[in-house]
Amino acid sequence: MSAIPPPSRAHLPLGRGSRRVRLLALGLAVACSVGVATPSLAAAPVLGSAVGTAPAAGDPGKAKKQVDKEIESLKEELEDTSASLKNAYLALRRTQAALPGAQAALDQATAAVSRADAYNDEMAVRLEVARANEARAVDELAATRAQLAETRTRVARFAAQLYQDQGMGQLSVALSATTPDDFANRIAMNDTVMDVQNQSLTRLATARAAATAQEAHIKALKVQVQAAKKQAEAALAKAQKARSAAAAAKARLDALAAKQTAQSKALEAQKKAEKTKLDAAQKEQARLQRVLVARARAAKLAAARRAAWLRKHHKPVPPPVSSSGGYLSRPSEGWISSEFGMRYHPILHYWRLHAGRDFAANCGTPIRAAASGHIISRGWGGGYGNRIMIDHGIVRGVDLVTTYNHMERYAVRGGNVSRGQVIGYVGTTGSSTGCHLHFETYEDGIPRDPRRWL
């Protein structure tokens, strides 16, 4: 049989199982805080129904965990999507997941600024009150000291006067009186003088005590002022730190918003490129299918002619292969990461056939021929990467062809191969984001579920 040109990828595997990936867009509302406008995210395109539903906006931690889980799942769903498209998509999803946390951090930082400002204002008032109390106490002490000085002067004058008038006792006053009225007047005057002197002494003692108490009070007020000053300084530092943290949180949020916008644009560009590649691959797949159908028709016609010739010449006709399962051997020892079936592309948003079965294995793991046959194509298959196609002839009434895709390298050049023979090694070439073998079976040129033959 003549070699067939290497086909391009048409039906790229998307992931495990036939479930549809249903994801809804994160509702991201980015607000402005700290007195500076935050860039609006309205202009940044957000993924549609293929993006996951986020938990409540009040729990950004839970939202991030959910997105991380979705991303881990999508890595399998997108294992046969081009790496550039997958990476652009996942990068945007991670940014979207980080936005609620950044917004929450900004909200917390803004609230901390408000609390720090209020505390700073309170400490400033306390400091002013403490300083005012100290100033008032200092003024009162100055007045008390002035009163004390005046009283001391008055007492000193009395003392000097008494020294000069040493005979001012009541007896000397009585003996110097000339008349009974003069005696009475002198006695009364002497009593008045003594009362004034005693009052002055009492005021002097009181002023001294007051001054001592006020000095002690001022010392206590100075301690209060120093404490209030330290509290005010700490409050100011706390407010400045909170303001810096809020500014940093807002800068991070702004950066994420800008990053999301850029990543959204990059994703759109990658989606267009991927769509162009897939359109070309589908055309190539349709061409390949026509070739395989024609080959199958020719092979079945040749087999029928061969059987007719054998019967005509009374020779035994080979019996048909049993219709029971298990005709093909496992081409790889890897675990099954994705089955044959329809898939919904979570990025490009359309259904398509995952036309084979995926065996997840490390790159470099041997790939074996599932049955004996003839290599009809070996080479680059576009999205399929390095690919080998083996025709196993007419089996169960159909022309059976198997394909082995995304190979790291080949182990055979062409010709006939036997069951279990190593034909190549697992890789991740073409539209693939992880090491695996994409194995397909074609019946008369039509892709069928490999489980019918394994």
Side-chain angles (χ1 to χ4, degrees), residues 324-340:
S324 59
Y327 175 77
L328 297 179
S329 303
R330 285 175 61 95
S332 169
E333 295 304 318
W335 58 277
I336 306 302
S337 61
S338 184
E339 294 285 6
F340 180 95

Side-chain angles (χ1 to χ4, degrees), residues 411-431:
V412 294
R413 292 182 176 276
N416 295 325
V417 294
S418 57
R419 181 188 301 272
Q421 180 180 343
V422 176
I423 60 173
Y425 300 91
V426 172
T428 182
T429 55
S431 293

Side-chain angles (χ1 to χ4, degrees), residues 70-301:
E70 291 172 3
I71 287 175
E72 198 59 34
S73 174
L74 282 171
K75 286 180 180 179
E76 296 178 359
E77 298 292 337
L78 299 174
E79 66 181 357
D80 282 304
T81 298
S82 65
S84 56
L85 176 61
K86 172 192 170 184
N87 292 338
Y89 176 80
L90 297 183
L92 177 57
R93 291 293 291 121
R94 290 190 178 96
T95 299
Q96 290 174 328
L99 276 167
Q103 179 63 58
L106 176 56
D107 293 342
Q108 292 174 359
T110 303
V113 168
S114 298
R115 291 192 299 271
D117 284 344
Y119 180 67
N120 184 39
D121 293 342
E122 180 183 351
M123 292 302 101
V125 170
R126 287 188 184 182
L127 178 59
E128 290 302 319
V129 169
R131 284 174 173 169
N133 290 338
E134 181 187 13
R136 184 168 60 253
V138 170
D139 291 342
E140 290 175 353
L141 177 60
T144 299
R145 285 175 174 170
Q147 181 183 0
L148 181 60
E150 181 183 353
T151 303
R152 282 174 176 166
T153 300
R154 186 178 297 116
V155 171
R157 287 174 182 171
F158 274 116
Q161 187 66 37
L162 286 174
Y163 179 78
Q164 293 175 5
D165 301 333
Q166 291 182 354
M168 282 297 289
Q170 289 184 350
L171 179 59
S172 63
V173 171
L175 293 177
S176 62
T178 56
T179 63
D181 289 338
D182 185 27
F183 176 77
N185 290 335
R186 286 176 179 269
I187 289 297
M189 182 187 301
N190 185 62
D191 291 341
T192 301
V193 170
M194 295 307 294
D195 287 342
V196 171
Q197 183 180 6
N198 289 335
Q199 291 174 7
S200 295
L201 291 172
T202 300
R203 284 197 296 272
L204 177 61
T206 301
R208 283 176 177 171
T212 301
Q214 287 171 343
E215 287 173 354
H217 182 53
I218 288 174
K219 288 182 180 179
L221 288 175
K222 284 184 180 297
V223 173
Q224 291 181 5
V225 168
Q226 288 301 316
K229 184 178 180 182
K230 288 182 179 180
Q231 288 178 331
E233 290 172 349
L236 178 60
K238 186 176 181 180
Q240 291 173 341
K241 184 178 179 180
R243 207 171 289 279
S244 297
K250 183 180 181 300
R252 181 171 180 267
L253 181 62
D254 291 346
L256 284 173
K259 187 177 182 180
Q260 179 188 241
T261 301
Q263 288 174 337
S264 296
K265 292 180 179 178
L267 177 62
E268 289 303 315
Q270 289 294 336
K271 285 169 67 175
K272 290 180 180 178
E274 186 79 358
K275 186 66 167 58
T276 300
K277 283 172 50 179
L278 289 177
D279 288 344
Q282 287 175 346
K283 291 179 180 178
E284 176 60 19
Q285 182 68 15
R287 185 198 68 79
L288 173 64
Q289 186 167 318
R290 289 193 299 270
V291 172
L292 289 178
V293 168
R295 282 178 56 87
R297 187 181 299 115
K300 293 174 82 172
L301 180 60

Side-chain angles (χ1 to χ4, degrees), residues 18-99:
S18 59
R19 60 184 175 83
R20 174 179 178 176
V21 180
R22 298 187 308 128
L23 303 167
L24 303 174
L26 280 173
L28 302 175
V30 181
C32 162
S33 298
V34 199
V36 182
T38 300
S40 171
L41 300 187
V46 181
L47 299 183
S49 60
V51 184
T53 304
D59 192 352
K62 186 178 291 184
K64 185 179 184 305
K65 288 181 180 178
Q66 178 171 319
V67 171
D68 289 343
K69 186 177 180 181
E70 291 172 3
I71 287 175
E72 198 59 34
S73 174
L74 282 171
K75 286 180 180 179
E76 296 178 359
E77 298 292 337
L78 299 174
E79 66 181 357
D80 282 304
T81 298
S82 65
S84 56
L85 176 61
K86 172 192 170 184
N87 292 338
Y89 176 80
L90 297 183
L92 177 57
R93 291 293 291 121
R94 290 190 178 96
T95 299
Q96 290 174 328
L99 276 167

